[in-house]
Structure formats: C-alpha cells, structure tokens
Amino acid sequence: GAVVSQHPSWVICKSGTSVKIECRSLDFQATTMFWYRQFPKQSLMLMATSNEGSKATYEQGVEKDKFLINHASLTLSTLTVTSAHPEDSSFYICSAIPGTGNTGELFFGEGSRLTVL
Amino acid sequence: RKEVEQDPGPFNVPEGATVAFNCTYSNSASQSFFWYRQDCRKEPKLLMSVYSSGNEDGRFTAQLNRASQYISLLIRDSKLSDSATYLCVAGTSYGKLTFGQGTILTVHP
C-alpha cells in the first residue's frame, strides 16, 4: 500500500522554540494532506487541510499563525509549531490521499510526538 | 454533540469472544465510513471500509444504517492481537474525515 513517512517521530523542545514536522508521501503524489492532533486518550482532531500550491485550510479554533503549514510539492507537507508551549505537547499525525478528490483510504504517517518543556 | 460518537469502553473480553462496537454520526452529508484500528502510541491503520450492504473481512463484519446514521463493527473469535482502540470514522466528499473518540478493546487469555 501507499506509504507516508513522517519525521521526526518524536521531539522534545524548550518552550518558545519552533518545531518543524515533515510529512512525505513516498510512492504517490498527494495534492491533499491532512494534519491531525491527538491528545492522550482523545481522538484525532483535524487541524488543517494542506493543499499543494495553495494556502492550507484550518479548522475552527486552530491558529494558522501558530501552526504554519507549507505544501510546496506533491510529496511534502510541513507543519511548523511556532513558539511552542507545554500545552502544544501532543501527537501530531499527517495523512494523505493518493489521487485527487476521492474519499478512499487515508494513509497515515507514523506520527510525531512533541513534548514541550 | 460530537459529530461521531462511540462508546469509549473499555471492553474487556476473553479470547474467542464476540464483541460488537457501535457508532453514530450526526453529519448527514457524510458519504464514506470506515473503521480504523489504533495501537497504543501508533498511527491509525485502516481496518475496513463500511458499506450500506454490509461487508465482512474474515472475523470482522461492518454494517452501516444510513437512515439511523449508525455504524457497527462485529469481531468474532477475538484474538489477543485484537487488543487496540477502534476508531469509527465518517468522511465527506472532499476527503475530510471525522474520527470518533475510539473504543478500547482488551482481549485477555
């Protein structure tokens, strides 16, 4: 099946620093990628939809200036958590759909566990 | 009200048991439905899609009732390896998926 790679798998940073997470589709082109956040014992919450070559679409309550998303190529989307604070500590997961505009299976990255001290 | 609601459990069952999970969704525009499985501290993985006609994959059977906006998953002959969190998912035509909070299953010897 399709493979989505996410890096880093875990990161610990100091409060106030910025952290970049990469999401790559390894064997397919993804015009659309999704970024989710999952707090302990809670479900995945969609943060934003990342569209190649255009601005990301953010879900209500997600600060676009804090969570910067760049989707500059068909195989790479990045999420930058700017000025991270302890409350941003979470499991961030990206996903991608092979092809365009379908509602088929989503392929998930392995997730990135962020801990902000 | 959450868009996708599940009984969080936990469900603790012995090996060989049959267990059923239920889920309801509130967005009538939802067009696609899935069950995902998530192991502890891992990313979700697709277990199966759910169709109105019902579908079966080995020990797993999924059902969808659009009229009542209800989705179910039945696991027969539970294995220890089935222990995980099961996520009910509803999707729209533009690819946005909404996840339920998950149902925790523990299968014990």
Side-chain angles (χ1 to χ4, degrees), chain B residues 2 8-10 16 19 22-23 25-26 29 37 39 42 44 59 63 67 80 90 94-95 103 107:
Chain B
K2 295 177 183 176
V19 61
N22 302 317
C23 169
Y25 63 96
S26 61
R37 169 193 169 132
D39 293 291
K42 299 280 189 178
R59 297 181 294 109
Q63 295 275 356
L80 296 177
Y94 45 90
T103 299
V107 181

Side-chain angles (χ1 to χ4, degrees), chain A residues 70-112:
Chain A
N70 183 285
H71 194 156
S73 78
L74 286 171
T75 59
L76 174 64
S77 176
T78 62
L79 168 69
T80 301
V81 183
T82 62
S83 187
H85 290 283
E87 58 265 29
D88 298 323
S89 299
S90 186
F91 191 46
Y92 292 87
I93 309 176
C94 70
S95 68
I97 304 175
T100 59
N102 67 76
T103 55
E105 179 180 359
L106 270 189
F107 293 92
F108 285 87
E110 307 94 327
S112 300

